[in-house]
Amino acid sequence: MALDFQSLAELEVLCTHLYIGTDLTQRIEAEKALLELIDSPECLSKCQLLLEQGTTSYAQLLAATCLSKLVSRISPLPIEQRIDIRNYILNYVASQPKLAPFVMQALIQVIAKITKLGWFEVQKDQFVFREIIADVKKFLQGTVEHCITGVLILSELTQEMNLVDYSRPSAKHRKIATSFRDASLKDILVLACSLLKEVLAKPLNLQDQSQQNLVMQVLKLVLNCLNFDFIGSSADESADDLCTVQIPTTWRTIFLEPETLELFFNLYHSLPPLLSQLALSCLVQFASTRRSLFSSPERAKYLGNLIKGVKRILENPQGLSDPGNYHEFCRFLARLKTNYQLGELVMVKEYPEVIRLIANFTITSLQHWEFAPNSVHYLLTLWQRMVASVPFVKSTEPHLLDTYAPEITKAFITSRLESVAIVVRDNLDDPLDDTATVFQQLEQLCTVSRCEYEKTCTLLVQLFDQNAQNYQKLLRSPSGITVDKAIQEGRLAWLVYLVGTVVGGRLTYTSTDEHDAMDGELSCRVFQLISLMDTGLPQCSNEKIELAILWFLDQFRKTYVGDQLQRTSKVYSRMSEVLGITDDSHVLETFMTKIVTNLKYWGRCEPVISRTLQFLNDLSVGYPFTVTYILLKKLVKIDAVKFMLNNHTSEHFPFLGISDSYSLSDFRCRTTFYTALTRLLMVDLGEDEDEFENFMLPLTVSFEAVLQTFNNNFKQEDVKRMLIGLARDLRGIAFALNTKTSYTMLFDWIYPTYLPILQRAIERWYGEPACTTPILKLMAELMQNRSQRLNFDVSSPNGILLFREASKMICTYGNQILSLGSLSKDQIYPMKLKGISICYSALKSALCGNYVSFGVFKLYGDKHFDSVLQAFVKMLLSVSHSDLLQYRKMSQSYYPLLECLTQDHMSFITSLEPPVLLYILTSISEGLTTLDTLVSSSCCTSLDYIVTYLFKHIAKEGKKPLRYTEAPRAGQRLFHFMQQNPDVLQQMMSVLMNTIVFEDCRNQWSVSRPLLGLILLNEKYFGELRASLINSQPLLKQEGLAQCFGNLMEGVEQNLSIKNRDRFTQNLSVFRRDVAEVLRTDGSTDTCSLDMMS
């Protein structure tokens, strides 16, 4: 080794800066040095030096990191070198079993990566990298430390095989993972279970740390085996309650042995909490085993063993006092009902006893609401699914849910009410503040609560009356104690939420007229509470009660308002006696009165305002000739609605004000308000321009005020805030105007008087996204030709006028935003990319809207169209390719815009300078491989338009014209560019072929369209690609692949007619299926060669 100790010292300093240094500059330099080290030809020798002579763990970690990056490269090291690295690391960890855990982990990761990437590689007719399990068995025969190392290697290998590397073809990953599953995974699981049996067979010394560590690592190994993605479904980990473990059929024998389940239940009872929760995690996966693995008698027996285990845990509940164990056990119970039907559960001998124990466990859990609150979700999931299954049970065995479900509901209700006093007095976090969790739990409870509904209803009526009376006494009391009042308000908030929940539960469970009458009883009380609270405003106000009331109103709306079947519902009989509410028309009046009251008095409370406006928005959605439209007709006759339509000013609704007490983000709710209000206006608007002018009067007054004060430097902040509010208001109005007549009224109102004001605002405050974003979004909304609303009359120039205004705004913003210079990573999206993406969306809407004839601009010498296209290019060149794809909104606005430009404006694309054209084509090439189907499909379409344009030009050039015509210069420019950059199209053909052959291609039709043109333009290169793929396969497969490629072009002609394209698309579908079939069988080929990109 030709390296001296000075090199070692330098490397160790590098490690210190990289891993524990606090100086950012030094760390960045160290990262650069690390990249240089990886690329250095001496990398391996330096890693060896660090491992053998390094004085710190960080030196060893640096070596492991370098090796990991080295073996993960797309172009791999020679096979002999990788074998040497693997053997060296195996010997190294064997000789030093007490390495720092993070170093051990990093080194084992290198072994796992080498094994995965070389899984199909052959040397001397042997799969050389599959000997890992035999190597690990040698570790298992050594000391406890060696045993732990061996288990860690298997565990890391299992995880690595399951890990999808999105930089490589997914088909390769699946092939390796499937082969590993079939060849090794079962053996690993059997080995792990045998190690656990050995542990249980001996007396456990829980004080021995290394013994504990071994058991932990073996349990983690079993869990990794059971968590393996057996069928390539890549299940979303957040969808925990829907998971089914697709155990391979070859594992049946392991699962049919009762000893397997018994082993893990015994481990749970024998091990300390940190380890026992891992045993429970394994049992969760056992409980989730796919049903089809067993025959019916086997499934019943397996379920019986699971239920016996549950019974044993609940009879000895000491371990459940640990939050980890408790959480995993709750997951275990939920999975039982996910995978097994209620009819199967009731047939189990121990069912009556176990359901009693589970009910008691649930009640206790609900009563201790502060303990592991995140686990309650699983218990409620179990009961919700059990109760929902009751109508489908055919078994004669009693399910006993009518006994226990009301008890669960009662426990939930009483525990939540009792929690309020503790929360208020001890100043704890209020569960009601976490509305997402509250809503989730209530939606689960709504099904459970309707089982034996009479009991639940009686309880709620009793509690509501009692708490409402206490609250009224406190309100009347001259010296109302604040703490007692807060407690009563918290309880009432919970009760209103609960009433809304049980009323909403009517839609999830079979109901009778008596149940509807009970809903009426409960609803009366909430409506009376609304009346009490609103008459006492603003003194008698409570945010939590208001939010609960809005939840109740929304549940009542979904259940009893608008449906024709509810007209005779018994819910209204009781409400008519007490409140005079006889049908849904009266309820709508109550709704609207409540909405107006909230908007008047709760202007400074954003949660109440936003939830109120969302409720108003839901009420305002209606389509002609539907039940919802009939409701809209009723709504506009209500006095409260007429009041809103005539008085939408900050004087009546403070949240429309612009005072400094409102943050700019609070202005967002104004868009929702005006969308709902304009929908209501549209019901009877017709062509009445006077009514529209009256409706717009408050906005007219505001704009006139802005006009007068725009040049007054003393009030710039007020003007800015007013403009932000106006832009959000107008966007809401524009969104709701979906007819030509109504949109024309808005256009005539805003142009030409007020649009220039918005232009000046963009000029002045271009560096403030809080101001520019609402204005740009308004312009993007105005450009949307939704429902053909922008198809103006043939005599109207409005379409062109609107486009000119948009062009001015985009050019102004584009030129100004580029003057900001370079921005930091955290600033680049809010300050620049967000605005650019909105400009692109607006431009795309204009280009695709079919309301502007763009040829007119050139004909009459108007520069607006050319200017906006140049602004598009300038903004685009200021954005890196990585940012284009990294920010979703950016990519989802740029690529569809590019699609429009290539479809209708190829003369512009071909006129671009070569570097700009290369930038655009590179962006298409990179977008083809993205996981976002919208983006990749847009790229395919854009590429198809470019290729078709080029193909047609070449075809015309090749023909002898009947009359002399000058060759189009645009086509010539594109042709010369492609001649100078032939690799551009070749690269894209490689990408598309790779996608078809090796990837999970979700937009096959889109991919097929440009591919034919690419093949016809690059037949020679296509032949090389085909030969490369065929020759990379074993001889046995080459003939089959050659046949597939032959069939691909069968019947395909040398043109791009629609008929010819369709034929190619059909052939490609067959080709993809046939190639997959040929490549499916294991062959002794290096999978790295199965990639045309390499």
Side-chain angles (χ1 to χ4, degrees), residues 318-331:
Q318 302 83 358
L320 296 177
S321 57
D322 174 71
N325 279 344
Y326 173 78
H327 183 75
E328 289 303 317
F329 184 64
C330 291
R331 287 182 65 222

Side-chain angles (χ1 to χ4, degrees), residues 767-1003:
E768 299 183 41
C771 181
T772 57
T773 299
I775 294 173
L776 291 172
K777 281 187 174 179
L778 166 61
M779 184 54 80
E781 180 55 47
L782 289 171
M783 305 303 285
Q784 286 266 13
N785 192 12
R786 199 182 301 109
S787 305
Q788 305 302 303
R789 63 183 185 171
L790 269 75
N791 288 5
F792 298 107
D793 296 333
V794 289
S795 59
S796 168
N798 286 355
I800 289 171
L801 294 173
L802 176 62
F803 179 80
R804 282 160 56 109
E805 291 301 317
S807 169
K808 285 181 204 168
M809 188 175 287
I810 292 170
C811 291
T812 302
Y813 180 77
N815 291 329
Q816 299 279 28
I817 205 70
L818 297 181
S819 67
L820 290 177
S822 60
L823 296 163
S824 63
K825 192 73 179 167
D826 60 328
Q827 286 290 302
I828 193 163
Y829 181 75
M831 291 294 290
K832 176 177 159 184
L833 298 183
K834 188 174 184 181
I836 291 176
S837 70
I838 300 167
C839 289
Y840 283 2
S841 295
L843 186 52
K844 183 251 176 188
S845 297
L847 294 177
C848 299
N850 287 328
Y851 54 88
V852 184
S853 175
F854 293 101
V856 168
F857 290 95
K858 188 174 183 182
L859 189 64
Y860 291 102
D862 189 320
K863 299 287 185 188
H864 283 93
F865 183 49
D866 284 343
S867 300
V868 81
L869 291 179
Q870 291 309 316
F872 155 74
V873 171
K874 283 182 190 171
M875 288 190 280
L876 179 62
L877 294 178
S878 74
V879 181
S880 68
H881 282 126
S882 59
D883 285 345
L884 269 183
L885 289 167
Q886 183 180 349
Y887 297 99
R888 196 157 177 259
K889 286 185 178 178
M890 187 72 214
S891 58
Q892 291 194 343
S893 60
Y894 164 68
Y895 285 104
L897 169 58
L898 186 60
E899 187 182 331
C900 291
L901 287 168
T902 52
Q903 181 178 7
D904 298 321
H905 304 281
M906 271 304 296
S907 56
F908 161 69
I909 296 289
T910 57
S911 70
L912 294 170
E913 292 295 316
V916 181
L917 188 53
L918 185 61
Y919 180 96
I920 287 174
L921 289 169
T922 306
S923 73
I924 292 174
S925 181
E926 293 187 0
L928 288 171
T929 57
T930 186
L931 294 173
D932 188 330
T933 311
L934 175 71
V935 169
S936 60
S937 296
S938 276
C939 289
C940 289
T941 309
S942 301
L943 178 59
D944 185 32
Y945 289 133
I946 293 169
V947 168
T948 303
Y949 185 87
L950 182 61
F951 184 85
K952 285 182 178 176
H953 167 76
I954 294 169
K956 279 182 186 174
E957 289 280 283
K959 289 179 184 174
K960 191 174 182 183
L962 297 174
R963 57 192 175 85
Y964 177 75
T965 55
E966 191 178 340
R969 291 176 60 194
Q972 288 282 13
R973 277 196 301 270
L974 184 61
F975 181 61
H976 287 313
F977 174 83
M978 292 304 180
Q979 279 185 318
Q980 290 164 359
N981 301 276
D983 56 321
V984 173
L985 293 183
Q986 291 173 4
Q987 164 75 4
M988 287 196 258
M989 192 202 299
S990 295
V991 169
L992 293 180
M993 283 302 295
N994 217 51
T995 303
I996 286 292
V997 176
F998 298 116
E999 296 292 332
D1000 177 21
C1001 184
R1002 287 170 291 176
N1003 50 346

Side-chain angles (χ1 to χ4, degrees), residues 567-579:
R567 287 174 178 260
T568 57
S569 172
K570 293 278 185 187
V571 77
Y572 290 114
S573 57
R574 179 64 179 149
M575 287 168 66
S576 64
E577 290 171 26
V578 180
L579 306 168

